[in-house]
Amino acid sequence: MSSILTLTRWAGIVRRTGMLISRTVKAGGNGRDREEHGCASAHAHASGVSRVGDLVGTGSRLVPSLAVTVALSGLAVGCGTDVEQSSPPGKIVFAGDRNSIFVMNPDGTRVTRIGDGACPSFASDGSEIVVGGYTIAVMDPDGGNVRKLAHGGSTYPTFSPDGTRIAFTRGRAVFVMNADGGELKQLNVVPDPTGPVTGIVVPGAVIPVPSGRFLVEDPDGEGSTDRPAFSPDGSKILFARSSGVIWVMASDGTGARQLLPDDPNVNFAPVFTPDGAGIVFASNRAHNGRTGIYLMDVDGQNIRLLNDDDAAYPSFSPDGTKIVYTRFTRDPASEQGVMFSELWVMNSDGSKPHRLTDPKQSVQHAVCGSWGTGTDS
């Protein structure tokens, strides 16, 4: 049986988080105090966590040899960031601590918890958010009007461009259903042979552990399926396997084929560019100990680096000018090797990266950002 640590499980590590309201927080990275109103703040404390398992996601377990010690205390959900002031309008939804869903303005202000779940994604018109986890649910952008659609440990749900369908992963397969939960269908996903791999396995990736590596086996040879991503016209779906191979298929599951089939690197989290002419994805191909975000043509040619600073899980802004992504970081003050994840934003050409969430002043495990249309508030 596979042993998989998903990013959604990082979001569930801090179990005993209390919520409070904070009016004054310190803005990350600039040393200035910022006055914010109505920002949700969290005080988290979790120490001596030696094993994390069966939290949110596919229901897989960590390998017994993995020990993760988390010592998080006195941390608050903050509002205020290092980003430039010219960010496009809208809202960013993301997963965070305690199986929680948060929204914030694109400049990182007004971080607000709106509900439960993991792996959130906006509909293209910004009218709804779909979340995964123990169930797939759809909610309004403020967290209201929650409608549960499917059960059973489903991850990375995403709307089709026209909003009529939802694709998601369950176990090792990609599924689609109507936006109301009807006509659930497992797509014809080609098995992906994998042998033993080393590292932390997240959907579609093997992330090396800076302090050492450990063995993860996949004896049934199929691997875990990464988040699906529709093409802008809705005719194709991208996904990746834990072996690091990116696949593309028709949105009905037919015609599945590998991209970069002879590539020995670990490639994961692919998404189409807004014009459908390219694919942005994460990879370890720099072999510098860090993951990076890359751009390639839809046929897998002309690969170029956008950001290699432990960046992963890219998602475009509605106007296509920005990419919000997850960045992994280790707490330099921690002797136990505490790992955080942050949300960052950069221009679509990789320039001007800026942090949105500071793990020491905001959500400690911010992942899976999705940028929706709308108006800042």
Side-chain angles (χ1 to χ4, degrees):
M1 180 176 293
S2 301
S3 297
I4 300 168
L5 173 62
T6 65
L7 287 181
T8 58
R9 297 184 183 189
W10 279 112
I13 288 175
V14 183
R15 282 292 197 182
R16 299 179 176 86
T17 304
M19 299 302 297
L20 55 90
I21 301 298
S22 173
R23 290 174 58 90
T24 305
V25 297
K26 188 166 298 286
N30 57 20
R32 298 193 302 270
D33 287 335
R34 180 188 297 267
E35 184 76 6
E36 297 290 349
H37 300 278
C39 288
S41 298
H43 177 273
H45 177 76
S47 62
V49 180
S50 61
R51 292 188 63 194
V52 182
D54 294 329
L55 297 179
V56 181
T58 63
S60 302
R61 301 186 307 274
L62 295 183
V63 292
S65 57
L66 172 62
V68 180
T69 302
V70 181
L72 307 175
S73 61
L75 303 180
V77 172
C79 306
T81 66
D82 308 355
V83 299
E84 58 189 352
Q85 299 300 312
S86 59
S87 296
K91 290 286 184 181
I92 294 174
V93 64
F94 62 97
D97 312 315
R98 291 185 64 226
N99 188 39
S100 296
I101 302 297
F102 296 85
V103 294
M104 65 182 172
N105 290 334
D107 62 359
T109 60
R110 299 193 181 278
V111 177
T112 305
R113 187 186 188 277
I114 63 169
D116 299 326
C119 317
S121 183
F122 265 109
S124 59
D125 63 0
S127 63
E128 293 180 311
I129 295 170
V130 62
V131 302
Y134 298 111
T135 63
I136 290 182
V138 174
M139 63 181 67
D140 292 345
D142 62 0
N145 192 24
V146 177
R147 291 91 73 197
K148 294 182 179 180
L149 304 180
H151 300 271
S154 304
T155 58
Y156 296 111
T158 183
F159 282 102
S160 61
D162 62 6
T164 63
R165 293 173 296 164
I166 295 173
F168 61 96
T169 62
R170 178 181 292 165
R172 296 176 175 85
V174 176
F175 290 76
V176 293
M177 63 183 175
N178 292 341
D180 62 2
E183 298 187 20
L184 178 64
K185 176 186 177 183
Q186 180 178 334
L187 300 185
N188 183 25
V189 178
V190 178
D192 178 40
T194 63
V197 292
T198 55
I200 293 177
V201 180
V202 300
V206 181
I207 307 299
V209 183
S211 59
R213 299 168 70 90
F214 60 90
L215 184 66
V216 180
E217 294 188 357
D218 183 23
D220 55 10
E222 290 191 48
S224 176
T225 301
D226 192 14
R227 65 176 184 181
F230 283 97
S231 59
D233 64 2
S235 66
K236 296 181 178 64
I237 293 177
L238 285 169
F239 64 97
R241 294 288 196 176
S242 59
S243 59
V245 178
I246 294 175
W247 289 71
V248 63
M249 63 183 172
S251 58
D252 63 0
T254 61
R257 61 183 178 88
Q258 295 184 27
L259 294 173
L260 309 176
D262 299 323
D263 190 342
N265 301 296
V266 176
N267 309 296
F268 63 105
V271 293
F272 284 99
T273 57
D275 61 3
I279 294 171
V280 170
F281 64 102
S283 178
N284 71 340
R285 63 187 49 246
H287 299 288
N288 58 3
R290 300 190 297 269
T291 57
I293 293 176
Y294 294 80
L295 172 66
M296 66 180 175
D297 298 341
V298 290
D299 60 0
Q301 302 299 310
N302 192 24
I303 298 174
R304 52 271 198 203
L305 174 68
L306 296 180
N307 184 308
D308 70 345
D309 191 19
D310 284 318
Y313 290 89
S315 180
F316 280 92
S317 63
D319 64 2
T321 64
K322 307 283 184 180
I323 295 174
V324 61
Y325 61 95
T326 301
R327 181 179 182 270
F328 302 99
T329 183
R330 180 179 294 278
D331 183 359
S334 170
E335 296 181 356
Q336 294 80 23
V338 173
M339 291 293 294
F340 296 116
S341 54
E342 311 164 339
L343 287 187
W344 283 58
V345 66
M346 63 183 174
N347 292 337
S348 58
D349 63 0
S351 63
K352 297 184 178 178
H354 298 280
R355 184 172 61 186
L356 294 177
T357 62
D358 183 344
K360 293 191 175 182
Q361 298 173 352
S362 62
V363 182
Q364 293 86 21
H365 302 290
V367 294
C368 304
S370 174
W371 199 324
T373 60
T375 304
D376 290 358
S377 61

